Amino acid sequence: MIEPSAFRAAMRHVPTAVTVVTSLRDGEPRGITLSAFVGVSADPPLVAICVNREARSYLYIASSRIFCVNVLSHDQRELGERFSGKVRERQFDALDVEAAVTGGPVLRGALAYFDCEVEGEHHAGSHSIFVGRVLACASHAGSPLGYFDGTFRDFGIDAE
Ligand SMILES: Cc1cc2nc3c(=O)[nH]c(=O)nc-3n(C[C@H](O)[C@H](O)[C@H](O)COP(=O)(O)O)c2cc1C
């Protein structure tokens, strides 16, 4: 049995991308900064995200059954902060967004997005793993925002 603090300390040493996962319920958008995102399968196109069931976004995704993963670019650190609890109400005020196929918000300037409908939900401890079927996706050249040792980072790498 390991202590949660030991687990958290080891996880701090795992470098990740930073995403904002958006959803739309009854016309109201919601977003959450999230690093637990992985591509699962290309055919059929599936991704997975892990969301704390105490997060407000959890209710949006679980009930609307849609989510859109926006992979942040290195110059979108402010969005990473905004959607990790800094802005609790009217999160999308003054943001440049467009509607994905599902209606979920796509953040302009994101390096890539994956617009999904929920195919399955699996409880795992405090979190739910949502498997999403990708209905639309796009990407463009640029450099990602990273997260490592509790801090947003510019990993200094580019994708074409
Ligand atoms: C870099 C970073 C990565 C995060 N990754 C996750 C994650 O994978 N899953 C999760 O549930 N919360 C994650 N969080 C925490 C949520 O962003 C945070 O709890 C948020 O305030 C929840 O908002 P809500 O309750 O309004 O939905 C992460 C936060 C940061 C800063």
Side-chain angles (χ1 to χ4, degrees):
M1 188 68 178
I2 63 151
E3 291 296 322
S5 58
F7 176 80
R8 288 197 190 97
M11 286 304 296
R12 283 173 71 96
H13 289 79
V14 179
T16 66
V18 182
T19 75
V20 170
V21 173
T22 60
S23 193
L24 185 76
R25 183 180 69 166
D26 300 332
E28 191 193 343
R30 186 82 207 167
I32 180 173
T33 298
L34 181 144
S35 56
F37 161 67
V38 67
V40 173
S41 156
D43 187 13
L46 301 173
V47 299
I49 57 170
C50 301
V51 182
N52 192 322
R53 285 194 301 283
E54 290 192 354
R56 274 201 264 180
S57 272
Y58 170 75
L59 296 173
Y60 283 68
I61 297 168
S63 62
S64 70
R65 311 287 291 171
I66 60 145
F67 64 88
C68 182
V69 181
N70 294 267
V71 180
L72 297 188
S73 163
H74 72 101
D75 56 0
Q76 294 181 311
R77 184 179 298 224
E78 189 274 324
L79 293 179
E81 290 166 354
R82 175 189 287 238
F83 287 98
S84 62
K86 200 170 173 184
V87 178
R88 297 216 158 267
E89 306 300 330
R90 305 164 69 96
Q91 291 178 304
F92 291 84
D93 269 13
L95 284 190
D96 197 359
V97 296
E98 52 187 292
V101 171
T102 59
V106 175
L107 304 175
R108 202 176 301 273
L111 215 51
Y113 77 84
F114 301 84
D115 183 30
C116 306
E117 69 186 12
V118 172
E119 184 140 308
E121 178 184 351
H122 310 273
H123 284 205
S126 53
H127 284 51
S128 272
I129 303 167
F130 286 105
V131 175
R133 178 176 283 260
V134 181
L135 302 185
C137 62
S139 61
H140 62 78
S143 168
L145 180 65
Y147 197 73
F148 182 68
D149 200 15
T151 308
F152 291 108
R153 314 268 181 173
D154 182 348
F155 289 152
I157 48 174
D158 281 286
E160 292 183 0

